[in-house]
């Protein structure tokens, strides 16, 4: 996803120089950029189905595996429809600094790029001082953004796994996307967004995706309460093989997530891919070492969790930092997320079932703040902003402001949505249904 620079308020975006066109000339489509973005979009979709579905499905008990898998699949369906109807328009069409407009409601006008058999690229924020000409069709940009809207609410399911009603999950997904995800995406990533104007940067979703989903997961875990029998019954994962396969798919898909956010086949995409790889590796190593020292054994679940923590933390920084900074971010994320998923969770007693907050919320915060500490200016430099985003105390403060804004909005709105749904339709299955397992109770199926 294209991210805004320190000069976002004046319209300087991180685009290759070739992407800029004269104001009255329709931008041309670059076939290489478009091809890479089509691949990246498919990779990001792969992260949710089957990646995240298997990652989470392997970590729950056998009686809840199918229910967990189908949550990710159904959210993919729901989020895609929400994005088509209103989500994309509200997030990325011109509007106010707080929310977009309805010019793309039901994707109205999406075919405007076709003229006399010639397909032209589009301009994000056309008609505003921050207009950013692209080198890809709007349909590809829209679809790429859709895959981010798909995975974000799916990540939240890890916090309320094994106890939320399927019907409530479906309604929650619709409301949360429209009231939490879409506004934050507009604030941070739209050329007219007010958080971008603060000078904060987020290359591929540290705030919009990971902090948003992690904080929402924490709120869900607290409001729904702990699983029945936790601390007394065996809660060990059903099949860690599923989880390892899922984590592996997440790792591969993350190259589309991060390198695709350069919005083109260019040097910045290559650097983002490299920093993504080394940060993931560093996260896995850090979690393994800390766990080994603390418990005497490095676990498979711990190692894959550490790699995901490294991936989460590098997401906001991938296109801003060099490999050395990426390694430091990954190491710190692996160690800090281990602490969050173990000591912190047990200290405060909330049941973040599959560590949605422990890994995504915590890792997102770590990565977003450290982006300001390791940013290398030339990676994001443009003609309008020749210094790019440079590591500094000022940049760290801007990053902290963006993190704080995201947390506050997410906590307030997620709490409000959950409380209303609980009053109207209930959030949690009954104790008897939870004991029997969600596969049979909610779906009438089971793994034999």
């Amino acid at each position: 996803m294209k991210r805004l620079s320190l000069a976002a308020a004046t319209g300087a975006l991180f685009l290759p120089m070739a992407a800029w066109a004269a104001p009255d000339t329709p931008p041309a489509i670059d076939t290489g950029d478009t091809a890479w973005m089509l691949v990246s979009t498919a990779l990001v979709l792969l992260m949710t189905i089957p990646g995240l579905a298997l990652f989470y499905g392997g970590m729950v008990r056998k009686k809840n595996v199918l229910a967990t898998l189908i949550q990710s699949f159904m959210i993919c369906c729901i989020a895609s429809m929400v994005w088509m109807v209103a989500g994309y328009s509200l997030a990325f069409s011109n509007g106010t600094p707080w929310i977009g407009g309805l010019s793309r409601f039901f994707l109205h006008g999406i075919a405007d790029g076709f003229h006399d058999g010639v397909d032209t690229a589009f301009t994000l924020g056309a008609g505003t001082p921050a207009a950013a000409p692209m080198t890809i069709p709007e349909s590809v940009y829209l679809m790429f953004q859709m895959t981010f809207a798909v995975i974000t609410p799916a990540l939240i399911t890890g916090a309320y796994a094994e106890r939320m009603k399927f019907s409530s999950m479906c309604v929650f997904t619709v409301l949360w996307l429209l009231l939490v995800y879409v506004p934050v995406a507009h604030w941070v990533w739209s050329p007219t967004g007010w958080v971008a104007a603060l000078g904060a940067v987020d290359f591929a979703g540290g705030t919009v995706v990971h902090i948003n989903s992690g904080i929402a997961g924490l709120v869900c875990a607290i409001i729904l309460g702990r699983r029945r029998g936790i601390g007394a019954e065996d809660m060990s994962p059903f099949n860690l093989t599923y989880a390892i396969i899922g984590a592996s798919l997440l790792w591969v898909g993350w190259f589309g997530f991060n390198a695709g956010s350069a919005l083109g086949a260019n040097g910045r995409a290559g650097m983002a891919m490299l920093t993504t790889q080394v940060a993931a590796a560093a996260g896995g190593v850090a979690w393994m070492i800390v766990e080994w020292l603390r418990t005497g054994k490095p676990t498979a679940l711990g190692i894959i969790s550490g790699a995901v923590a490294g991936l989460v933390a590098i997401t906001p920084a991938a296109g801003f930092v060099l490999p050395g900074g990426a390694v430091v971010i990954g190491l710190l994320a692996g160690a800090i997320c281990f602490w969050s998923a173990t000591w912190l969770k047990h200290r405060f007693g909330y049941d973040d079932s599959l560590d949605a907050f422990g890994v995504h919320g915590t890792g997102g915060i770590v990565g977003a703040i450290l982006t300001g500490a390791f940013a290398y200016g030339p990676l994001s430099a443009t003609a309008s902003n020749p210094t790019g985003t440079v590591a500094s105390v000022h940049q760290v403060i801007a990053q902290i402001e963006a993190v704080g804004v995201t947390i506050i909005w997410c906590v307030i709105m997620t709490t409000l949505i959950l409380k209303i749904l609980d009053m109207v339709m209930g959030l949690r299955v009954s104790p008897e249904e939870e004991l029997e397992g969600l596969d049979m109770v909610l779906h009438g199926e089971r793994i034999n």
Side-chain angles (χ1 to χ4, degrees), residues 1 44 47-48 52 56 71-72 75-76 79 83 144-160 172-173 176-177 180-182 184-185 189 204-217 220 250 257 315 356 360 406 410 414:
M1 275 173 231
V44 182
M47 292 174 68
T48 304
L52 185 68
Y56 280 171
Q71 284 179 340
S72 289
I75 286 174
C76 180
W83 198 246
F144 183 64
Q145 295 285 359
M146 179 188 289
T147 59
F148 282 67
V150 164
I151 197 171
T152 307
L155 291 171
I156 304 172
T157 65
Y160 57 72
F172 172 78
T173 298
W176 191 87
L177 277 170
V180 182
Y181 180 85
V182 164
V184 175
W189 288 335
T207 51
V208 180
V209 176
H210 296 295
I211 295 176
N212 234 354
S213 62
I215 294 299
C220 287
L250 284 170
F257 203 81
T315 294
H360 295 276
T406 303
C410 186
T414 303

Side-chain angles (χ1 to χ4, degrees), residues 39-371:
V39 171
S40 295
T41 299
L43 286 171
V44 182
L45 185 60
L46 179 78
M47 292 174 68
T48 304
I49 50 172
L52 185 68
L54 286 170
F55 184 58
Y56 280 171
M59 289 193 284
V60 296
R61 290 168 291 177
K62 183 178 180 180
K63 62 184 180 180
N64 297 314
V65 172
L66 291 177
T68 302
L69 292 171
I70 204 60
Q71 284 179 340
S72 289
F73 199 95
M74 191 64 241
I75 286 174
C76 180
C77 298
I78 293 171
S80 298
M81 296 304 298
V82 170
W83 198 246
M84 173 186 171
V85 173
Y88 173 71
S89 187
L90 292 171
F92 290 101
S93 68
N94 294 342
T96 71
W98 299 92
I99 197 68
L102 294 177
S103 61
R104 285 292 185 262
F105 189 62
F106 271 97
L107 301 190
H108 171 75
I110 195 65
D112 289 348
F114 292 88
H115 300 284
D116 300 322
V118 178
D119 187 12
T120 59
F122 83 112
T123 298
L124 183 65
T128 70
M134 298 286 176
T135 59
I136 60 176
E138 187 172 8
S139 59
V140 177
Y141 181 76
L142 179 155
M143 182 64 191
F144 183 64
Q145 295 285 359
M146 179 188 289
T147 59
F148 282 67
V150 164
I151 197 171
T152 307
L155 291 171
I156 304 172
T157 65
Y160 57 72
E162 302 192 299
R163 58 198 187 277
M164 192 173 191
K165 294 166 62 176
F166 187 74
S167 57
S168 299
M169 181 218 72
C170 292
V171 178
F172 172 78
T173 298
V174 174
L175 296 176
W176 191 87
L177 277 170
L178 290 173
L179 299 177
V180 182
Y181 180 85
V182 164
V184 175
H186 182 77
W187 301 346
V188 176
W189 288 335
S190 170
T192 58
W194 72 275
V195 172
L198 296 175
V201 294
D202 182 358
F203 191 69
T207 51
V208 180
V209 176
H210 296 295
I211 295 176
N212 234 354
S213 62
I215 294 299
L218 178 61
V219 174
C220 287
I222 293 172
I223 290 179
L224 266 76
R226 294 157 61 88
R227 286 168 290 176
R228 312 287 177 184
I230 191 168
E233 299 178 9
D234 182 10
M235 297 282 179
S236 58
F238 161 67
N239 192 329
L240 281 178
T241 301
Y242 288 179
I244 293 172
I245 294 172
S248 302
L249 289 168
L250 284 170
W251 191 330
V252 173
W254 227 289
F255 293 127
F257 203 81
N258 287 357
S261 292
L263 287 186
N266 51 47
R268 200 173 187 203
M271 185 62 75
M273 178 173 280
L274 175 57
T275 56
T276 298
Q277 177 69 16
V278 297
V285 169
W287 190 302
M288 178 191 72
I289 291 174
V290 174
E291 184 179 46
W292 206 337
L293 291 173
R294 183 179 176 186
T295 68
K297 293 182 180 179
T299 65
L301 181 58
I303 292 170
I304 62 176
S305 297
V308 172
L311 290 165
V312 168
I314 197 60
T315 294
F320 294 102
V321 303
L322 296 177
V327 169
V328 175
I329 290 173
L331 289 171
L332 289 173
I336 294 172
C337 288
F338 173 83
W339 166 81
S340 178
T342 55
W343 183 87
L344 187 67
K345 178 167 68 173
H346 295 300
R347 172 67 178 80
F348 290 97
Y350 56 85
D351 183 16
D352 178 13
S353 310
L354 310 180
D355 295 317
F357 170 72
V359 172
H360 295 276
T362 304
I365 292 170
V366 170
I369 294 174
L370 291 181
T371 299

Side-chain angles (χ1 to χ4, degrees), residues 366-409:
V366 170
I369 294 174
L370 291 181
T371 299
F374 291 102
Y376 177 65
L379 284 175
S380 56
T382 67
S384 301
N385 180 28
T387 61
T389 301
V390 180
S392 65
V393 173
H394 171 78
Q395 190 61 45
V396 170
I397 293 173
Q399 298 301 111
I400 292 173
E401 289 174 342
V403 168
V405 165
T406 303
I407 291 174
I408 292 170
W409 180 258

